[in-house]
Amino acid sequence: MSFYIASSPHTRQRRTTARLMQLVIVALIPGILAQWYFFGWGVILQLLLAVTTAYATESLCLHARERSSLSALRDNTALVTAMLLAVSIPPLAPWWVIVIGVAFSIIVVKHLYGGVGQNLFNPAMAGYVVLLISFPLQMSSWVAPVELTGQHLSLFESIHLMLFQYTSEGYSVEQMRMVASGTGLDAVAMATPLDHIRTDLSQGLTLSESLQAPLFSGLAGLGWQWVNLAYLLGGLFLLQQRVIQWHIPAALLASLALLAALGTLLAPDQLPGMDIHLFSGGTMLAAFFIATDPVSAATSNRGRLVYAALIGLIIYLIRSFGGYPDAIAFAVLLANMCVPIIDKYTRPTTYGHPRRKLQ
């Protein structure tokens, strides 16, 4: 027997980074399939473009840093970043949107800070915010669920739209907003449930009136509720495999749910309830796949609880009172900025030493 001395962090399981990322990819599959089912081929096309761009930019960065490309590419971190960004943007966004976002995430957020394990911010969410601020129109053009519009875009039509922003028959994405299966649905039909509610409230409608729209069905919006449940299933798989711990998902969802419940009590016809906040937008994706990034999140268990609760708070405040309908990317980046101070005041006491006092 040999006795090995290794530096921290110490884990009970001998899993490589590549293996952990593979499990994350497997856990993403249910959510990706649900998005594909409800929103069409654009989801798959965005994934292909994102992965291709990630591998290309990762290879260029590693070559520029005079490091071995093959070994570093095998850790799958670039692949996970690309997938998370791809499923976060509208399926029919122009092809160059995802290329710019992934390139920024890999080159600027990851490699300019030193590569794997050195980034201060979540790479996928940093890329998303850059895209949202730079190209707000393209980043807000979500397609309506297929069940609502009756428009089953073929693979060829989806490629044509992504490349040229026109179908083969000459319809632009904006024109497609105005026609949905001959029913006369207007542009709101292509908004997310959260964006639809925000638009209606700004026009003087009440929440109950807004929820009468065809977009809402069942729990929290046609299609979106099933996408969130699919990502919840994938997140439970990650917990079962001990890829992530329960602290961040539980604290984020509990914080968001508690605030939504309080908002419903205070302004029942102005602020959406727990079902909308938890099962619409990218809530479950954020709770289990984005906020749990081990590099940019807090390190101690207490710190993770504070960090995730802060994300839930910021999400709720921006969704309810801010300028964006879904605030996950902003909330995660703002919480990333707070990680040093969170770690400072939640650092576990060294064994055998008295508990430190806050200074």
Side-chain angles (χ1 to χ4, degrees):
M1 278 184 80
S2 300
F3 179 72
Y4 295 96
I5 298 177
S7 62
S8 61
H10 306 290
T11 60
R12 297 187 181 91
Q13 299 174 343
R14 294 183 178 179
R15 287 179 174 175
T16 63
T17 300
R19 176 57 180 164
L20 292 174
M21 294 300 102
Q22 287 172 2
L23 291 172
V24 172
I25 292 168
V26 171
L28 282 168
I29 291 175
I32 292 172
L33 292 177
Q35 283 188 248
W36 177 37
Y37 177 81
F38 286 104
F39 300 108
W41 282 102
V43 176
I44 305 301
L45 296 174
Q46 296 289 357
L47 279 167
L48 293 175
L49 277 172
V51 171
T52 303
T53 304
Y55 278 128
T57 52
E58 182 92 340
S59 298
L60 288 173
C61 289
L62 292 169
H63 178 74
R65 297 175 61 192
E66 299 181 349
R67 294 185 56 190
S68 171
S69 321
L70 188 59
S71 60
L73 286 171
R74 287 175 178 169
D75 65 15
N76 295 321
T77 55
L79 178 58
V80 170
T81 296
M83 294 178 69
L84 290 175
L85 185 54
V87 299
S88 300
I89 72 170
L92 294 179
W95 64 270
W96 44 265
V97 169
I98 190 64
V99 171
I100 293 172
V102 172
F104 180 86
S105 298
I106 300 297
I107 296 172
V108 177
V109 185
K110 181 179 179 182
H111 282 283
L112 286 188
Y113 282 92
V116 178
Q118 303 300 319
N119 50 283
L120 300 179
F121 301 100
N122 184 290
M125 292 299 96
Y128 181 91
V129 167
V130 166
L131 294 178
L132 186 60
I133 294 174
S134 304
F135 315 108
L137 176 61
Q138 289 79 5
M139 289 294 288
S140 61
S141 298
W142 276 91
V143 296
V146 171
E147 291 185 18
L148 180 63
T149 64
Q151 293 176 332
H152 296 269
L153 287 177
S154 66
L155 176 60
F156 172 75
E157 292 289 359
S158 299
I159 295 174
H160 206 281
L161 268 171
M162 288 180 60
L163 291 178
F164 308 109
Q165 289 298 281
Y166 287 92
T167 66
S168 59
E169 298 177 350
Y171 291 102
S172 68
V173 175
E174 186 64 28
Q175 288 172 323
M176 290 179 62
R177 288 173 177 262
M178 306 304 295
V179 180
S181 201
T183 61
L185 291 172
D186 60 14
V188 173
M190 293 186 71
T192 66
L194 291 168
D195 198 15
H196 175 80
I197 291 174
R198 173 180 293 276
T199 301
D200 282 354
L201 292 177
S202 67
Q203 295 175 349
L205 298 179
T206 64
L207 179 62
S208 56
E209 290 172 335
S210 179
L211 294 179
Q212 299 302 313
L215 181 61
F216 291 93
S217 174
L219 190 61
L222 190 62
W224 291 94
Q225 57 201 14
W226 297 110
V227 170
N228 274 276
L229 288 171
Y231 282 121
L232 172 60
L233 178 64
L236 294 176
F237 169 76
L238 292 181
L239 289 172
Q240 188 271 330
Q241 292 292 314
R242 297 185 179 180
V243 175
I244 61 174
Q245 295 180 312
W246 62 268
H247 305 82
I248 290 177
L252 192 157
L253 296 177
S255 171
L256 186 57
L258 177 61
L259 291 168
L262 291 174
T264 301
L265 291 175
L266 296 175
D269 231 10
Q270 292 295 318
L271 298 175
M274 286 192 295
D275 53 347
I276 300 294
H277 278 289
L278 293 180
F279 295 100
S280 189
T283 302
M284 293 300 170
L285 180 67
F288 291 97
F289 295 92
I290 294 172
T292 52
D293 173 29
V295 178
S296 56
T299 53
S300 68
N301 288 339
R302 281 195 302 162
R304 293 188 186 108
L305 292 172
V306 174
Y307 166 80
L310 177 62
I311 293 177
L313 171 63
I314 298 173
I315 289 175
Y316 183 78
L317 291 177
I318 297 179
R319 281 181 176 180
S320 302
F321 311 107
Y324 292 92
D326 204 349
I328 287 169
F330 293 102
V332 171
L333 295 183
L334 290 171
N336 289 160
M337 295 180 186
C338 298
V339 163
I341 195 71
I342 292 173
D343 281 343
K344 177 180 179 180
Y345 290 116
T346 59
R347 187 168 63 245
T349 304
T350 305
Y351 181 76
H353 290 257
R355 184 176 294 275
R356 297 179 295 106
K357 295 182 179 179
L358 298 182
Q359 299 178 352

